[in-house]
Amino acid sequence: ISPKETDKLEKEVTQMLTSEINKICKSFYDTLQDATPDHNYLVTKKVGVAKGVRKYKDSLVIPGYDGENNMVTLQFIFSDGNKRFKKNSRPKGAFFVIGEIQKEMYMAEGYATAYSIYKATGKSVIMGFNCGNLLDASRSFAALHPDTKVTIVADNDIPKDGHIMGVGEEKARETGLDVIVIPSEGMDANDYLNSGRNLKTYLEKRPAGGLDLTFDYDLNKDLFPPDWL
């Protein structure tokens, strides 16, 4: 058998296995019931249940889709916040949408972060599962919805190993899309919203891709009257 024929055979086998794994994900997902808002992770993060999120034992189950709208993976989020993908599934490039498809949408990493943006703004949000998947997930989404303008809301991770920005912002900027970074270091959109700050105003008034601005209402929340002697 020639090298060309070997490559063709390997490609066919890979496609068959991928198709079978997709079917397994879909079949398993179809047996599950919708998640309920009393799940410990949702309560802890102060977020709700998006359409399409289901439950399996003590975990939430979130489906991930590819650029052909195939269900290619399932993410399990346990009560303690730990996350796992279904074994042998393909999370690379997978995404999940909270809300309906709109002309302008936000994109974020994890579920709690994405739902917090949806909760604060009312705009639909694309979930990329993790920062390392933002580029591939954004491409998958664009393949289905090329006319939708997407703005990424990046986690403000603390820079490490001499980097000038955190990994969340780095990976977000690699997509080439407009990026808005949460202003407080070490915070994501869920942290920012739950700290009592106005996430909607920050996202809608801050120019995407522009200067890093801090608004007076954010400064005021961090200032306290002095204890006079």
Side-chain angles (χ1 to χ4, degrees), residues 55-156:
K55 62 180 179 179
Y56 175 68
K57 296 183 178 180
D58 69 336
S59 64
L60 301 172
V61 181
I62 303 176
Y65 298 88
D66 67 6
E68 297 180 350
N69 207 30
N70 297 311
M71 186 183 295
V72 295
T73 192
L74 298 172
Q75 184 184 60
F76 296 80
I77 303 180
F78 300 95
S79 295
D80 60 3
N82 281 323
K83 302 172 183 177
R84 296 287 186 275
F85 288 104
K86 188 166 181 60
K87 187 177 180 180
N88 297 323
S89 67
R90 296 182 302 124
K92 183 178 180 180
F95 67 88
F96 175 72
V97 174
I98 298 176
E100 304 297 328
I101 302 301
Q102 299 172 333
K103 291 183 178 180
E104 293 187 4
M105 297 173 64
Y106 290 112
M107 184 175 191
E109 295 181 25
Y111 179 79
T113 306
Y115 195 96
S116 295
I117 298 167
Y118 172 74
K119 175 181 176 181
T121 66
K123 286 188 177 181
S124 298
V125 185
I126 308 153
M127 171 186 163
F129 291 100
N130 56 64
C131 66
N133 193 48
L134 289 176
L135 175 60
D136 292 315
S138 65
R139 288 175 174 173
S140 294
F141 180 83
L144 289 171
H145 309 285
D147 297 327
T148 297
K149 182 181 184 302
V150 177
T151 299
I152 297 182
V153 181
D155 296 359
N156 192 339

